[in-house]
């Protein structure tokens, strides 16, 4: 939804400047999220905004999920630089380079990936 509360999309935001996303945060938001069935969409998604702030341990914790993602899993790592990510993460990812989308463009991408139910649209 536009309020950022879709039950099948979980966002892990970058920490304050100078801080790292730690292993416990990565496990909670990525690994454990996929233990639950989707509620409104055919898939569940995790968006890690500021993936360049993932600690090395947190990136390594994500490898198993990236190698063998659960059915219906969608994981997006948003980083300002690919050099901040481990080569093992990059080798298991599809790299997309793009400029900053407008709010409307971003919402449209999310709506197509996580369609709302008829009752939610009303």
């Amino acid at each position: 939804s536009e309020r950022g509360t879709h039950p099948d999309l979980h966002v892990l935001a970058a920490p304050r400047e100078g801080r790292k996303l730690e292993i416990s945060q990565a496990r909670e938001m990525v690994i454990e999220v996929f233990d639950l069935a989707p509620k409104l969409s055919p898939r569940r998604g995790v968006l890690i905004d500021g993936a360049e702030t993932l600690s090395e341990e947190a990136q390594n914790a994500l490898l198993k999920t990236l190698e063998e993602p659960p059915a219906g899993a969608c994981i997006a790592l948003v980083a300002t630089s690919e050099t901040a990510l481990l080569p093992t993460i990059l080798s298991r990812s599809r790299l997309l380079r793009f400029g900053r989308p407008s709010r409307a463009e971003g919402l449209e991408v999310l709506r197509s990936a996580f369609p709302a139910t008829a009752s939610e649209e009303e």
Side-chain angles (χ1 to χ4, degrees):
S1 79
E2 289 185 35
R3 296 179 307 273
T5 58
H6 196 289
D8 296 325
L9 178 63
H10 300 269
V11 178
L12 179 57
R16 291 178 296 175
E17 191 171 325
R19 307 274 323 244
K20 290 282 189 187
L21 287 170
E22 297 299 333
I23 191 169
S24 61
Q25 295 167 295
R27 281 194 174 125
E28 179 182 334
M29 282 301 293
V30 176
I31 299 165
E32 294 175 8
V33 162
F34 295 121
D35 285 342
L36 304 171
K39 294 180 180 176
L40 299 177
S41 301
R43 65 186 67 147
R44 289 185 70 86
V46 171
L47 180 127
I48 300 177
D49 187 8
E52 71 276 4
T53 66
L54 285 164
S55 68
E56 185 173 339
E57 294 82 13
Q59 289 185 55
N60 283 320
L62 295 176
L63 285 176
K64 176 81 169 154
T65 304
L66 292 173
E67 290 170 343
E68 299 174 19
C74 181
I75 303 168
L77 304 174
V78 179
T80 56
S81 170
E82 65 190 83
T83 60
L85 298 173
L86 294 174
T88 50
I89 294 289
L90 293 173
S91 70
R92 290 157 178 83
S93 303
R94 181 184 305 164
L95 185 61
L96 302 173
R97 291 183 179 94
F98 52 89
R100 182 182 177 113
S102 70
R103 178 175 170 78
E105 290 169 328
L107 288 171
E108 184 54 38
V109 167
L110 292 173
R111 281 188 187 111
S112 66
F114 298 94
T117 62
S119 62
E120 186 178 304
E121 292 176 351
E122 294 175 1

